[in-house]
Amino acid sequence: MSILIVGSTALDSIKTPKAENPRLLGGSASHAAVAACFFGPVRLVGVVGSDFPKRYLQLYRRHRIDLAGLQILPGKTFHWSGEYEVNMNNRRTLLTELGVFETFTPTLPRAYQTSQFVLLANIAPALQLHVLNQMKRPRFVVADTMDLWLNIALPDLLKLLKRIDGCVLNDSEAHQLTKADNVFAAIRKIHQFGPKYVVIKKGSHGSILSGPRGFFLCPAYPLPRVVDPTGAGDSFVGGMMGYLAAAKGSIDENIRRAMVFGSVTASFCCEGFGLTRTTHVRRAQIDRRVKELEKLTRF
Ligand code: AMP
């Protein structure tokens, strides 16, 4: 089953203590789409400018990502730049140039409107709502967000939370949204905003699901070396949604396993700059790491 993904399609300039890489393919939707396509067909909704390198369009196509919903407009592609400290959990945004995103209105091709699985990856909540308004009875809608939107677009975000099945936040965003001093208290409050499923990402410490069947503690794959964690959160939710869209059975039956597949897909993302590692991974490698995680967490 196809999954529809809307979010940012960007050029990322990334600096770590060891290296610097300008204008890599990035954006929440790009990371999520490449992760999801390990599991099934992906429809991408986004916008890029006329400066967007052709090789990146070819990369999407090589991964069989449907680009009917990708607008190419005159102007500059969204450009984001970030710098990591020695502790890779700490990142500073150096630059955000909106470019063509400033005036972007996502209009869905007719075929996209009946997609059953929808991932509203990180982008302004007003745009996430605009996409949701065009959907016809989707089966499972999940949204991701970031601190910026909690700061400047909270009313839109609260409107969105009422209308989605699941939300994915990192732990600091959960605290910012709820003011709760404990992650489990924060989860309870987030459910009250609307979503039936709440997923809290804790970076290299894994993630927590709260849903109708209670809690699930999902491990992160133990990586001895992290090269660049940019997009790990997007890869996690992209992999999770891709797995869910492909799996038979109910969401409740599959969501724990889906998170583990998301977690493993994100681990590959961290092993290279931007999408360089993820785009060279094969499905069998993902399956192997999932088996390893299974062994590591059984008791
Ligand atoms: P993550 O590491 O999961 O937080 O995601 C990083 C990705 O988010 C990068 O590829 C950026 O291009 C993208 N990004 C950064 N700022 C924004 C923003 N304001 N809106 C949408 N996407 C963004």
Side-chain angles (χ1 to χ4, degrees):
M1 210 171 269
S2 274
I3 159 170
L4 182 145
I5 299 179
V6 61
S8 55
T9 37
L11 297 174
D12 284 354
S13 297
I14 300 163
K15 212 167 156 185
T16 68
K18 296 227 171 98
E20 205 172 328
N21 271 289
R23 301 176 83 75
L24 296 165
L25 175 60
S28 57
S30 306
H31 281 282
V34 169
C37 75
F38 285 108
F39 306 98
V42 174
R43 296 164 163 170
L44 183 68
V45 178
V47 63
V48 295
S50 40
D51 60 343
F52 193 67
K54 292 229 163 29
R55 66 179 187 284
Y56 293 161
L57 288 174
Q58 282 156 4
L59 184 150
Y60 287 141
R61 289 198 186 100
R62 257 202 322 278
H63 285 76
R64 297 178 309 281
I65 294 169
D66 184 340
L67 299 182
L70 181 72
Q71 297 178 29
I72 303 176
L73 300 180
K76 292 207 160 155
T77 302
F78 177 72
H79 180 207
W80 174 81
S81 172
E83 180 175 24
Y84 288 89
E85 291 177 11
V86 177
N87 173 354
M88 291 273 198
N89 287 321
N90 298 332
R91 176 172 82 190
R92 205 155 60 89
T93 290
L94 300 175
L95 170 112
T96 306
E97 290 172 331
L98 289 179
V100 287
F101 253 104
E102 212 152 351
T103 52
F104 176 51
T105 311
T107 305
L108 301 192
R110 191 181 289 267
Y112 281 29
Q113 294 172 4
T114 49
S115 305
Q116 298 279 290
F117 287 79
V118 181
L119 172 55
L120 307 169
N122 176 26
I123 193 178
L127 296 181
Q128 293 174 312
L129 278 164
H130 187 72
V131 167
L132 200 50
N133 288 340
Q134 295 168 68
M135 300 303 305
K136 301 202 169 108
R137 299 163 58 80
R139 180 172 158 209
F140 192 61
V141 181
V142 166
D144 193 356
T145 192
M146 73 186 294
D147 55 353
L148 174 68
W149 311 122
L150 288 163
N151 290 329
I152 69 168
L154 187 59
D156 283 340
L157 187 62
L158 292 175
K159 238 189 263 172
L160 180 76
L161 289 175
K162 284 201 185 86
R163 296 188 45 196
I164 56 178
D165 301 291
C167 78
V168 176
L169 296 172
N170 65 33
D171 44 2
S172 62
E173 292 156 1
H175 293 304
Q176 189 181 339
L177 175 63
T178 61
K179 312 283 180 287
D181 56 4
N182 163 303
V183 72
F184 295 100
I187 287 172
R188 189 179 298 166
K189 289 195 172 173
I190 298 169
H191 278 304
Q192 287 164 3
F193 289 129
K196 192 163 147 192
Y197 300 85
V198 176
V199 174
I200 306 293
K201 296 173 290 178
K202 292 158 67 71
S204 56
H205 303 293
S207 54
I208 302 172
L209 163 75
S210 169
R213 294 194 184 176
F215 291 119
F216 173 57
L217 307 180
C218 176
Y221 184 83
L223 284 179
R225 196 170 84 99
V226 170
V227 174
D228 167 25
T230 308
D234 310 308
S235 303
F236 167 79
V237 69
M240 179 187 101
M241 286 295 280
Y243 182 90
L244 278 176
K248 290 197 182 77
S250 70
I251 301 292
D252 283 331
E253 274 169 86
N254 294 320
I255 193 161
R256 289 179 167 213
R257 225 178 152 68
M259 283 175 68
V260 176
F261 273 87
S263 181
V264 162
T265 312
S267 73
F268 285 109
C269 173
C270 294
E271 288 182 313
F273 267 95
L275 276 156
T276 49
R277 173 80 169 116
T278 321
T279 47
H280 289 90
V281 167
R282 289 183 316 278
R283 173 65 195 264
Q285 293 171 279
I286 294 181
D287 293 345
R288 266 202 296 280
R289 281 195 179 176
V290 167
K291 284 219 169 76
E292 276 181 66
L293 266 191
E294 231 166 350
K295 277 196 200 142
L296 281 171
T297 53
R298 188 180 307 138
F299 67 92

